[in-house]
Amino acid sequence: MPRGVCGRLASALRGTRAQPPAVAQRCVHLSVSRPSPDQSERTRKPPRAFDPALLEFLVCPLSKKPLRYEASTDELINEELGIAYPIIDGIPHMIPQAARMTRQNKKQEEMEQQ
Amino acid sequence: MAAPRSWGLWSFCCRGWSRVLPGCRLPGLRSSWPRGPLGARPLSQEKRATETHFGFETVSEEEKRGKVYQVFESVAKKYDMMNDMMSLGIHRIWKDLLLWKMRPFPGTQLLDVAGGTGDIAFRFLNYVQAQHQRKEKRQLRAQQNLSWEEIAKKYQNEEDSLGGSHVMVCDINKEMLKIGKQKARAQGYKAGLAWVLGDAEELPFDDDKFDVYTIAFGIRNVTHIDRALQEAHRVLKPGGRFLCLEFSQVNNPLVSRLYDVYSFQVIPVLGEVIAGDWKSYQYLVESIRQFPSQEEFKEMIEDAGFQKVTYENLTSGIVAIHSGFKL
């Protein structure tokens, strides 16, 4: 199994090297070098990943139209209605109560319609 | 609003709730009061529009949603343990029976609604994985002489141990989903599982997407059951199956007596002692009594467009599995 081989290689490398968490340190360095408010996919991926494959299934609960995943803000956006559903802890919150408006004009229009 | 509420309480206190016929407080449901001895129709349906039941209380529909949310938010952490204590572990068998009735095969797309802590999802994954392993074993036995290319291919591919099956767990309560995710991580479930926070009455899924839709012990907490059923019909593929595991009406009078005593005397006390929450468990047992009977629920499912609707009673009708197909 390739994974087993890699595991053995990694442990061998760790044995020869004096500093075991060298690789880990580099990763931390990388993530620290990015500004913290920037929640890009690469730094967030290991602990809480949103699998873009879910986009095939998910639609806006109100209009049943497909959504766009916005990686920078970790939201699912419905362009048509101008609403964005947050993804918290890797769980998309697909309820209108949790959503926020992306555009002020759209909000006015919607309020008038209602 | 005070009058109906107190009347509801009075009727309960008089222990005549099996003989009580209040005005209908089940908006959106064309079912009658479930405990009417002759299956009597509701006396008045004027207040149907905005009122519904929360246990034996009458509340507005907006209130019910919030109250149910609070109930599950407070019980989430001890949910599984309380289930074991209250049902003496039998709920595991009920859920296993639901899976056995479903008989999923590898490649099934399952939507588990109100599946917060993931009991059904995990069972589904186990079942499908076991099926897949059995299939592989059979294949191996059949092909004892593999060519070198095939052996090399086996080492290269990360074979999907689930055979393409996927389960989507949808719940409206964040706490329940959190607990479910923690459980998944603790028990090592990674692939084929997704968690979504959504409303059963307005599912965030496209039409014709899932092979099976399950809702276990969740539908009685939905404010508009008919809307949830319609959404279920919408998201299922043609040929898809709707399965609902829910507490229902007991058909045996002796069991019914014991069950009532147990429900109203023991369960809230257990809730108070173990989880420190009498009210939530009082709501739980009351909501069970408010849920329509097997036949009525079957009619509701048929109204939503499902066909070949059947139900199976478990444990003398304490629990029933309703099944319907979208054809």
Side-chain angles (χ1 to χ4, degrees):
Chain A
M1 289 277 147
R3 255 201 201 152
V5 170
C6 281
R8 266 180 273 139
L9 263 178
S11 56
L13 282 171
R14 261 185 255 132
T16 51
R17 284 213 184 154
Q19 317 132 340
V23 177
Q25 277 176 5
R26 243 186 282 140
C27 284
V28 168
H29 181 67
L30 269 174
S31 58
V32 163
S33 67
R34 290 181 201 284
S36 37
D38 176 10
Q39 297 167 356
S40 68
E41 265 186 330
R42 259 170 286 161
T43 51
R44 295 256 292 174
K45 207 157 187 168
R48 290 170 291 198
F50 172 71
D51 188 5
L54 270 186
L55 278 174
E56 271 184 44
F57 288 97
L58 290 175
V59 297
C60 171
L62 298 170
S63 67
K64 312 295 184 201
K65 293 278 163 62
L67 299 160
R68 181 172 64 82
Y69 175 54
E70 181 65 56
S72 57
T73 53
D74 226 17
E75 282 178 341
L76 291 163
I77 300 185
N78 180 342
E79 297 288 358
E80 212 181 345
L81 294 176
I83 43 180
Y85 297 96
I87 300 173
I88 304 172
D89 289 339
I91 303 176
H93 285 40
M94 311 300 298
I95 43 171
Q97 290 87 344
R100 67 169 187 93
M101 308 295 304
T102 50
R103 279 166 276 174
Q104 286 300 108
N105 307 341
K106 280 275 175 182
K107 188 179 180 181
Q108 302 254 332
E109 275 177 32
E110 278 206 3
M111 284 177 69
E112 279 164 32
Q113 276 172 15
Q114 282 166 12
Chain B
M1 298 294 170
R5 189 175 297 167
S6 57
W7 196 50
L9 280 175
W10 271 116
S11 60
F12 165 54
C13 291
C14 298
R15 304 292 306 208
W17 50 270
S18 62
R19 286 171 253 132
V20 158
L21 298 170
C24 176
R25 286 192 197 93
L26 310 172
L29 308 178
R30 58 167 195 71
S31 57
S32 59
W33 180 252
R35 284 296 193 166
L38 303 169
R41 294 278 138 198
L43 299 173
S44 71
Q45 303 193 352
E46 304 133 354
K47 292 189 184 163
R48 226 161 26 117
T50 51
E51 281 190 358
T52 181
H53 53 86
F54 178 74
F56 288 151
E57 273 181 60
T58 304
V59 297
S60 71
E61 291 178 351
E62 301 89 47
E63 263 191 274
K64 170 158 183 172
R65 187 195 160 106
K67 286 189 143 186
V68 169
Y69 191 93
Q70 277 167 19
V71 164
F72 282 95
E73 198 177 22
S74 67
V75 306
K77 293 212 168 67
K78 302 246 172 102
Y79 187 72
D80 293 318
M81 199 236 316
M82 280 303 295
N83 279 349
D84 276 330
M85 304 242 52
M86 293 189 292
S87 67
L88 309 168
I90 306 178
H91 75 104
R92 294 166 189 249
I93 304 181
W94 290 332
K95 288 170 182 163
D96 288 337
L97 282 170
L98 178 70
L99 253 294
W100 292 340
K101 194 165 173 115
M102 193 197 303
R103 288 197 202 287
F105 51 84
T108 302
Q109 307 291 314
L110 171 68
L111 172 63
D112 184 24
V113 177
T117 49
D119 279 341
I120 302 288
F122 300 152
R123 283 176 169 76
F124 169 80
L125 290 173
N126 288 342
Y127 190 102
V128 154
Q129 199 167 37
Q131 294 272 64
H132 194 75
Q133 279 168 0
R134 248 177 272 153
K135 179 174 150 202
E136 295 211 307
K137 244 194 188 170
R138 280 200 299 264
Q139 271 179 350
L140 272 177
R141 260 188 230 142
Q143 319 160 340
Q144 274 303 303
N145 304 312
L146 289 177
S147 68
W148 283 114
E149 288 99 20
E150 282 169 317
I151 295 177
K153 231 198 289 176
K154 280 206 161 200
Y155 277 101
Q156 278 166 21
N157 307 355
E158 265 299 325
E159 265 227 18
D160 182 9
S161 66
L162 298 172
S165 325
H166 190 269
V167 55
M168 189 85 82
V169 181
C170 179
D171 198 296
I172 199 168
N173 197 298
K174 191 172 160 196
E175 297 300 313
M176 297 289 279
L177 282 174
K178 249 171 54 181
I179 304 285
K181 258 195 136 177
Q182 280 169 19
K183 268 172 63 177
R185 217 177 302 140
Q187 295 175 22
Y189 292 101
K190 284 185 208 130
L193 186 56
W195 308 85
V196 174
L197 194 144
D199 188 349
E201 297 178 21
E202 265 184 326
L203 288 172
F205 302 111
D206 214 350
D207 302 359
D208 304 334
K209 279 286 172 186
F210 296 99
D211 295 309
V212 187
Y213 173 110
T214 56
I215 183 164
F217 302 121
I219 203 159
R220 72 179 187 282
N221 300 308
V222 172
T223 317
H224 301 106
I225 298 182
D226 52 345
R227 281 189 217 163
L229 293 173
Q230 280 165 21
E231 281 291 278
H233 192 264
R234 183 181 66 82
V235 300
L236 276 174
K237 286 185 200 166
R241 189 170 195 183
F242 168 86
L243 281 165
C244 173
L245 176 68
E246 189 56 78
F247 288 108
S248 205
Q249 311 289 328
V250 180
N251 44 30
N252 181 329
L254 175 64
V255 174
S256 172
R257 283 263 175 88
L258 292 169
Y259 182 50
D260 289 342
V261 168
Y262 184 73
S263 299
F264 289 99
Q265 313 298 339
V266 178
I267 287 183
V269 174
L270 271 180
E272 180 58 42
V273 164
I274 297 177
D277 194 350
W278 172 287
K279 279 189 138 183
S280 300
Y281 292 93
Q282 184 71 26
Y283 161 73
L284 174 84
V285 295
E286 289 178 0
S287 65
I288 294 173
R289 294 300 179 289
Q290 292 281 30
F291 194 69
S293 69
Q294 284 89 327
E295 279 296 330
E296 285 166 43
F297 190 50
K298 175 177 167 207
E299 281 174 25
M300 286 168 73
I301 300 175
E302 284 170 349
D303 282 346
F306 290 101
Q307 293 171 37
K308 292 274 183 219
V309 182
T310 57
Y311 63 85
E312 187 186 329
N313 280 333
L314 306 174
T315 329
S316 308
I318 295 182
V319 163
I321 300 181
H322 281 79
S323 157
F325 289 90
K326 171 176 176 172
L327 297 171

